[in-house]
Amino acid sequence: MPATLRRDAPTSTLDRLRQGVPGCIVWVDPGLRDELLRDGLDVGEIVTVTGRGPLGGPLVVSLDRARLAVPLELARVIEVVAPVRRSDW
Amino acid sequence: VKQHRPAVLAPPGSAAGSDSAAAGLPVVALVGRPNVGKSTFLARASGRFAETANHPGTTVALERRRIDTAAGAAWLVDLPGARSLRDEPAGADPLWQLLLEVRPDAILVIVDAGDLGRHLPLVLECRDLGLPVVVAANLADEASARGIEIDAPRLAQLLVAPVHPTCGRSGDGVGAPLRAAVALAGRRADVRAGRRSVRATVPAAVYPFAVEQRVAQLVRDGAAAPRSLGAASADRFRPYVLAGVLSPRGAATLQLAAELAPERRRIAAGWARQVERRRDAPVPLADRLSGIVTSPLPGLPIFAALTVAAFLAVVAVGGWLAATMSAAWAAVVSPALAAGVPAIVPQPQLASALLWALDGGLLAMLSVGIPYVLTFYLLIAALEDSGYLTGAAVLSDRLFGLLGLPGRAAIPLMLAAGCNVPAIYGTRVLATRRERLLASFLVTLVPCSARSAIVIAALAPFVGVGVALLAFVVVAGVTIGAGLAANALVPGRQPSYVLELAPLRLPLPRHVLAKAWWRFRAFVVTATPIMLLGSLVLGLVYETGAWQPLAAAIEPPVRWWLGLPAIAGVAVAFAFLRKELALQLLLAFSIAQFGTAGGDLGTLLSPSQLFVYAVVTSVSVPCIATLAALVSELGSRSAAAISGASIALALGAGGLLARLLGIA
């Protein structure tokens, strides 16, 4: 059963996404959208937090094959929703 | 680091504007996202070394190489890596401007075959400029290892451009996109020169109808009023359209870049899904290791262990090389010079001064410069090629945040451990002038290989390896303190960036040796004349006694404040020419004062004095080459401010240490 996005699923900012759980980007601060778009962080993309830098350092985010270090300030302006399987609806 | 900049675009027919045309060769521009392998590709294509590394920001300016292919010859120009044509990779001009100023006849875009969704938008941007585009789907081997194969013919259909899978590191497939690009560039150059009739190539419309209409409207406005291209904001594109480098449609798409970006991203994602064939593949070891080295545990202990291991390797290997070469020099060359020079030059003072240069200067290169610098370059090259530096940037991000810098500042600061000069140019990976100013200041405080060699060579044999390590800890403390103060004093705030982590790779011995050798050769070529000339001048100053008034003048503050003899102050002052001179001079003064027993620095300075001397030398004013880089990158006022601050820091730290150690 493919994972998909449930419209009424609760959103959270990227920095609150649990490590290892994939999240679908649903909103990006409009003021930073153009900048983040260049790194591939756009609405509709699936990202996974694979690690966190020490002492509140950047999140290590996996975006398809790429691995990105996203500072917490930026992670707080990206909202994600965890995809759920249809069987869970 | 490449520093060549092209001539700014000039009107057709002028000297600057016809630079490439005068050579009669078409120009192929090499474009791609950071760390996609452009420089490696350039090295493969031209058969000559190009500065490469497995982290972003290796190419900070332009590099032009002549290439000969079956399709003809051409200039291949490597541009700095950028995520978009609107990026400002060199800290000044956007990439589209750098690209158009090289007057390309074709663009060779290097993309990551395993990450097309993020790389194709740049291809679409280049395609919209109206220039022929060829795509090299690089890193095809790594994509395959991750279970990704691409349908290159299908992608070529979608892009209306040739697409060739390549592997720059091994050289596989590099020839095909080069030949295609050179052939297309040759045809366009022929059209420009009137040797071939114009055959219009109109890229297929890929954007939604409404967007295409906006582009077409801007093109029509430009056609109706070519002097203005329809809008004031388009003025900066006008010279390129009038020069025939940029098509009116290209100017319109640049003008609408912000609106087109999401569309390009959407199209790229769709095309990537169409052409990628994915199969299940085990996670490569490199990817698992990447996760390990960026996590606090065990990433931080690994980082600490690597740093200490690098230090010990330099001490052990550099020390062995230094001892071997010094012994050979002392046994063979020194006696011959000591006998030969006075026989050829009868004037005793001049003969002695020549011996300073030929014997002392070259011996210093062999015993201080070459062994430690070469070892350092090998280590730094291996670390760069491995991709570890971006992982270290994640681990140190918070520390750099306190210093007003993003984690990516770790890259130039680590490079500074090899040589400060490329590190100063490497600060171009930072976006704002404030960050570049702060990072450049810290770079000048990081002990380069020459300064590390002084600290190690002055302390390890006479006081002990542990004390040498302690000196580095003190210098690191001074650097962090200075960074905190600079962050508080320099106005402005630090923006946040996303840093793409380089994949971990096993360093290729060929790459590491080539890089270390080229840097080392540049070091020897630059340093040897300065060392010889500096030693000659110093020899004359010493033999004629001219140093004594200088020493007498600086003796009170040096002795009172730092607890050092005046000649130590003279040695630090002349180290401005080349940092290695600080130790060579001290040795020379010591030998002159105490005879052969002076070869043991312990007879001139006590252990505490040696410690203070090593720290002051390491922190004090940057060498002349670093100063030149600072002036070039930040301007003379900022360079003077940084130099002044480093002198003040050196004196402050030295005075404090002298009092703590009870020598002043």
Side-chain angles (χ1 to χ4, degrees):
Chain A
M1 187 75 71
T4 184
L5 182 66
R6 200 174 138 172
R7 285 178 187 277
D8 60 347
T11 61
S12 69
T13 50
L14 180 59
D15 61 310
R16 290 171 179 271
L17 190 65
R18 274 192 300 141
Q19 198 163 319
V21 176
C24 179
I25 299 176
V26 291
W27 181 83
V28 175
D29 185 318
L32 291 165
R33 190 177 177 202
D34 186 42
E35 176 66 22
L36 292 171
L37 188 67
R38 299 183 201 189
D39 290 301
L41 292 168
D42 194 17
V43 172
E45 295 294 340
I46 306 285
V47 293
T48 309
V49 176
T50 58
R52 290 167 193 271
L55 305 169
L59 299 180
V60 180
V61 172
S62 152
L63 171 66
D64 202 357
R65 209 203 115 182
R67 292 172 71 244
L68 308 171
V70 183
L72 287 182
E73 300 80 32
L74 291 182
R76 289 190 188 112
V77 300
I78 299 171
E79 285 203 357
V80 293
V81 59
V84 292
R85 294 188 184 283
R86 280 183 198 280
S87 56
D88 297 336
W89 285 26
Chain B
V1 173
K2 296 151 252 180
Q3 298 162 45
H4 168 75
R5 292 292 305 270
V8 172
L9 182 72
S14 74
S18 60
D19 176 30
S20 61
L25 292 179
V27 175
V28 176
L30 208 51
V31 172
R33 287 178 69 94
N35 205 33
V36 75
K38 292 183 308 302
S39 300
T40 306
F41 196 94
L42 178 77
R44 283 282 174 193
S46 63
R48 283 195 292 131
F49 174 82
E51 186 82 56
T52 63
N54 186 9
H55 59 73
T58 309
T59 309
V60 292
L62 308 186
E63 172 82 5
R64 190 174 77 159
R65 296 273 175 88
R66 183 194 161 110
I67 52 165
D68 293 287
T69 71
W75 291 114
L76 189 60
V77 183
D78 185 20
L79 287 122
R83 303 162 301 166
S84 152
L85 290 183
R86 288 175 295 154
D87 272 9
E88 293 167 359
D93 300 328
L95 183 69
W96 67 261
Q97 196 168 343
L98 293 175
L99 172 64
L100 295 177
E101 285 190 358
V102 303
R103 303 173 68 90
D105 294 300
I107 305 175
L108 178 50
V109 191
I110 315 287
V111 300
D112 184 342
D115 195 13
L116 287 178
R118 292 192 328 126
H119 284 250
L120 286 181
L122 183 59
V123 181
L124 286 169
E125 275 187 279
C126 293
R127 178 181 175 276
D128 284 341
L129 296 179
L131 292 160
V133 168
V134 174
V135 176
N138 200 30
L139 307 171
D141 55 334
E142 290 187 8
S144 183
R146 289 173 172 82
I148 302 170
E149 309 288 344
I150 66 161
D151 183 350
R154 177 64 185 141
L155 183 58
Q157 276 182 339
L158 292 167
L159 285 168
V160 198
V163 177
H164 299 274
T166 61
C167 174
R169 270 163 74 93
S170 67
D172 292 343
V174 166
L178 274 177
R179 284 192 296 275
V182 171
L184 286 172
R187 269 180 238 158
R188 189 167 190 278
D190 285 348
V191 170
R192 281 216 311 215
R195 293 189 291 267
R196 184 191 286 258
S197 60
V198 179
R199 198 179 70 186
T201 51
V202 181
V206 291
Y207 301 113
F209 182 66
V211 177
E212 289 288 354
Q213 268 194 318
R214 291 258 295 136
V215 173
Q217 183 63 45
L218 280 177
V219 173
R220 278 197 297 276
D221 290 350
R227 296 294 299 172
S228 69
L229 266 173
S233 63
D235 277 355
R236 54 203 176 127
F237 309 126
R238 190 177 61 205
Y240 304 100
V241 176
L242 294 176
V245 182
L246 178 65
S247 70
R249 180 186 157 84
T253 58
L254 284 173
Q255 209 176 330
L256 289 175
E259 283 178 51
L260 290 174
E263 297 297 339
R264 290 189 181 116
R265 172 89 191 136
R266 188 183 55 74
I267 293 165
W271 287 1
R273 278 194 297 274
Q274 279 192 50
V275 302
E276 282 176 355
R277 306 276 178 269
R278 298 200 177 216
R279 57 181 160 74
D280 286 336
V283 179
L285 178 64
D287 287 6
R288 279 179 279 163
L289 284 177
S290 291
I292 290 171
V293 298
T294 50
S295 59
L297 276 176
L300 284 173
I302 290 173
F303 181 64
L306 273 175
T307 307
V308 173
F311 172 79
L312 292 178
V314 171
V315 171
V317 179
W320 177 79
L321 280 172
T324 307
M325 288 198 281
S326 298
W329 183 273
V332 180
V333 185
S334 271
L337 285 172
V341 171
I344 298 166
V345 183
Q347 215 282 334
Q349 283 182 328
L350 191 57
S352 296
L354 275 174
L355 278 175
W356 270 70
L358 296 175
D359 194 9
L362 291 177
L363 177 60
M365 281 294 289
L366 285 173
S367 60
V368 179
I370 290 175
Y372 294 101
V373 172
L374 181 60
T375 314
F376 236 108
Y377 280 172
L378 282 168
L379 279 172
I380 289 284
L383 276 176
E384 283 181 14
D385 211 43
S386 71
Y388 179 72
L389 292 186
T390 53
V394 171
L395 294 174
S396 54
D397 186 83
R398 289 303 291 167
L399 171 65
F400 285 113
L402 295 174
L403 305 178
L405 294 167
R408 70 171 74 173
I411 295 167
L413 284 167
M414 287 188 192
L415 292 179
C419 180
N420 286 184
V421 176
I424 298 284
Y425 290 111
T427 58
R428 292 184 192 181
V429 295
L430 304 173
T432 65
R433 179 175 167 80
R434 180 180 189 271
E435 287 178 352
R436 297 183 65 206
L437 187 67
L438 292 175
S440 298
F441 175 44
L442 294 183
V443 161
T444 61
L445 298 177
V446 172
C448 62
S449 50
R451 285 187 277 177
S452 298
I454 290 169
V455 174
I456 294 168
L459 294 177
F462 305 110
V463 195
V465 174
V467 178
L469 195 55
L470 183 63
F472 283 112
V473 173
V474 169
V475 172
V478 170
T479 304
I480 291 170
L484 290 171
N487 184 30
L489 291 172
V490 177
R493 61 183 292 276
Q494 175 207 349
S496 299
Y497 310 102
V498 173
L499 172 69
E500 184 168 351
L501 300 181
L504 282 185
R505 297 181 182 124
L506 201 61
L508 289 179
R510 185 168 42 82
H511 278 191
V512 173
L513 289 174
K515 186 185 298 185
W517 167 245
W518 277 83
R519 288 178 180 173
F520 179 65
R521 200 176 73 159
F523 166 78
V524 171
V525 167
T526 311
T528 305
I530 295 175
M531 195 69 104
L532 284 171
L533 193 62
S535 301
L536 183 65
V537 170
L538 289 168
L540 287 170
V541 166
Y542 185 84
E543 295 298 333
T544 57
W547 66 277
Q548 285 166 336
L550 176 63
I554 65 171
E555 179 160 19
V558 171
R559 190 173 289 281
W560 171 77
W561 180 246
L562 297 173
L564 298 174
I567 51 173
V570 176
V572 172
F574 276 99
F576 171 67
L577 291 172
R578 192 79 206 176
K579 282 291 175 180
E580 293 86 343
L581 285 174
L583 197 61
Q584 180 210 346
L585 278 178
L586 201 60
L587 273 169
F589 284 134
S590 180
I591 291 168
Q593 196 161 340
F594 298 104
T596 48
D600 179 354
L601 273 180
T603 55
L604 178 70
L605 300 177
S606 68
S608 298
Q609 286 177 316
L610 275 172
F611 190 81
V612 171
Y613 181 77
V615 171
V616 169
T617 308
S618 184
V619 177
S620 64
V621 67
C623 70
I624 191 168
T626 306
L627 190 65
L630 284 172
V631 171
S632 153
E633 290 297 291
L634 298 171
S636 51
R637 285 178 64 183
S638 297
I642 288 175
S643 302
S646 68
I647 293 173
L649 270 175
L651 291 176
L656 194 62
L657 281 174
R659 271 141 196 83
L660 286 173
L661 296 170
I663 57 171

